[in-house]
Tab-separated table of all heavy atoms in Angstrom:
chain	number	residue	atom	x	y	z
H	223	GLU	N	-0.198	23.778	11.431
H	223	GLU	CA	-1.509	24.406	11.304
H	223	GLU	C	-1.305	25.838	10.836
H	223	GLU	O	-0.641	26.620	11.524
H	223	GLU	CB	-2.236	24.375	12.652
H	223	GLU	CG	-3.618	24.971	12.631
H	223	GLU	CD	-4.326	24.840	13.976
H	223	GLU	OE1	-3.847	24.063	14.833
H	223	GLU	OE2	-5.353	25.504	14.177
H	224	ILE	N	-1.837	26.179	9.689
H	224	ILE	CA	-1.657	27.541	9.201
H	224	ILE	C	-2.484	28.518	10.038
H	224	ILE	O	-3.499	28.143	10.627
H	224	ILE	CB	-2.013	27.670	7.707
H	224	ILE	CG1	-3.492	27.368	7.445
H	224	ILE	CG2	-1.133	26.780	6.863
H	224	ILE	CD1	-3.916	27.693	6.024
H	225	GLN	N	-2.013	29.748	10.069
H	225	GLN	CA	-2.639	30.793	10.878
H	225	GLN	C	-3.044	31.966	9.988
H	225	GLN	O	-2.481	32.162	8.917
H	225	GLN	CB	-1.667	31.274	11.958
H	225	GLN	CG	-1.166	30.187	12.886
H	225	GLN	CD	-2.275	29.557	13.713
H	225	GLN	OE1	-3.229	30.241	14.103
H	225	GLN	NE2	-2.163	28.261	13.997
H	226	PRO	N	-4.010	32.763	10.440
H	226	PRO	CA	-4.396	33.943	9.665
H	226	PRO	C	-3.194	34.853	9.411
H	226	PRO	O	-2.298	34.984	10.253
H	226	PRO	CB	-5.433	34.632	10.556
H	226	PRO	CG	-5.990	33.521	11.405
H	226	PRO	CD	-4.841	32.592	11.644
H	227	ASP	N	-3.174	35.451	8.217
H	227	ASP	CA	-2.136	36.419	7.840
H	227	ASP	C	-0.747	35.802	7.780
H	227	ASP	O	0.261	36.509	7.924
H	227	ASP	CB	-2.140	37.621	8.800
H	227	ASP	CG	-3.498	38.305	8.867
H	227	ASP	OD1	-4.134	38.458	7.800
H	227	ASP	OD2	-3.926	38.670	9.978
H	228	MET	N	-0.671	34.508	7.560
H	228	MET	CA	0.626	33.851	7.463
H	228	MET	C	1.335	34.208	6.154
H	228	MET	O	2.564	34.105	6.038
H	228	MET	CB	0.440	32.333	7.585
H	228	MET	CG	1.725	31.539	7.602
H	228	MET	SD	1.445	29.794	8.029
H	228	MET	CE	1.480	29.885	9.821
H	229	ALA	N	0.565	34.613	5.148
H	229	ALA	CA	1.125	35.021	3.862
H	229	ALA	C	0.197	36.051	3.241
H	229	ALA	O	-0.929	36.252	3.700
H	229	ALA	CB	1.281	33.810	2.935
H	230	ALA	N	0.677	36.691	2.191
H	230	ALA	CA	-0.155	37.640	1.460
H	230	ALA	C	-1.280	36.893	0.747
H	230	ALA	O	-1.134	35.715	0.383
H	230	ALA	CB	0.691	38.405	0.447
H	231	VAL	N	-2.401	37.564	0.547
H	231	VAL	CA	-3.538	36.952	-0.137
H	231	VAL	C	-3.435	37.228	-1.635
H	231	VAL	O	-3.268	38.376	-2.058
H	231	VAL	CB	-4.870	37.489	0.413
H	231	VAL	CG1	-6.041	36.936	-0.388
H	231	VAL	CG2	-5.016	37.126	1.886
H	232	GLU	N	-3.539	36.182	-2.418
H	232	GLU	CA	-3.455	36.283	-3.870
H	232	GLU	C	-4.841	36.501	-4.473
H	232	GLU	O	-5.823	35.915	-4.032
H	232	GLU	CB	-2.856	34.995	-4.440
H	232	GLU	CG	-2.748	34.980	-5.953
H	232	GLU	CD	-2.191	33.671	-6.482
H	232	GLU	OE1	-2.286	32.651	-5.779
H	232	GLU	OE2	-1.663	33.678	-7.606
H	233	THR	N	-4.899	37.336	-5.498
H	233	THR	CA	-6.122	37.504	-6.274
H	233	THR	C	-6.085	36.517	-7.444
H	233	THR	O	-5.193	36.589	-8.297
H	233	THR	CB	-6.253	38.936	-6.813
H	233	THR	OG1	-6.297	39.846	-5.714
H	233	THR	CG2	-7.526	39.093	-7.626
H	234	LEU	N	-7.017	35.583	-7.465
H	234	LEU	CA	-7.045	34.575	-8.516
H	234	LEU	C	-7.611	35.164	-9.806
H	234	LEU	O	-8.468	36.049	-9.779
H	234	LEU	CB	-7.887	33.377	-8.085
H	234	LEU	CG	-7.428	32.651	-6.820
H	234	LEU	CD1	-8.415	31.541	-6.467
H	234	LEU	CD2	-6.024	32.080	-6.989
H	235	ALA	N	-7.152	34.632	-10.931
H	235	ALA	CA	-7.605	35.104	-12.243
H	235	ALA	C	-8.511	34.062	-12.879
H	235	ALA	O	-8.116	32.898	-13.010
H	235	ALA	CB	-6.405	35.365	-13.149
H	236	PRO	N	-9.724	34.420	-13.278
H	236	PRO	CA	-10.564	33.466	-14.017
H	236	PRO	C	-9.855	33.017	-15.292
H	236	PRO	O	-9.212	33.823	-15.973
H	236	PRO	CB	-11.822	34.287	-14.345
H	236	PRO	CG	-11.835	35.393	-13.340
H	236	PRO	CD	-10.392	35.724	-13.082
H	237	ILE	N	-9.932	31.727	-15.591
H	237	ILE	CA	-9.322	31.201	-16.818
H	237	ILE	C	-10.368	30.411	-17.599
H	237	ILE	O	-11.327	29.906	-17.031
H	237	ILE	CB	-8.096	30.314	-16.521
H	237	ILE	CG1	-8.475	29.125	-15.620
H	237	ILE	CG2	-6.986	31.127	-15.867
H	237	ILE	CD1	-7.336	28.138	-15.408
H	238	PRO	N	-10.200	30.301	-18.918
H	238	PRO	CA	-11.182	29.594	-19.746
H	238	PRO	C	-11.241	28.099	-19.437
H	238	PRO	O	-10.247	27.494	-19.026
H	238	PRO	CB	-10.683	29.828	-21.178
H	238	PRO	CG	-9.769	31.009	-21.088
H	238	PRO	CD	-9.138	30.927	-19.730
H	239	ASN	N	-12.417	27.511	-19.664
H	239	ASN	CA	-12.621	26.075	-19.460
H	239	ASN	C	-12.317	25.261	-20.707
H	239	ASN	O	-12.182	24.039	-20.616
H	239	ASN	CB	-14.084	25.806	-19.072
H	239	ASN	CG	-14.485	26.428	-17.771
H	239	ASN	OD1	-14.247	27.603	-17.538
H	239	ASN	ND2	-15.118	25.652	-16.904
Side-chain angles (χ1 to χ4, degrees):
E223 181 177 346
I224 63 171
Q225 302 296 326
D227 304 319
M228 184 170 274
V231 175
E232 179 182 23
T233 299
L234 301 176
I237 59 174
N239 297 49

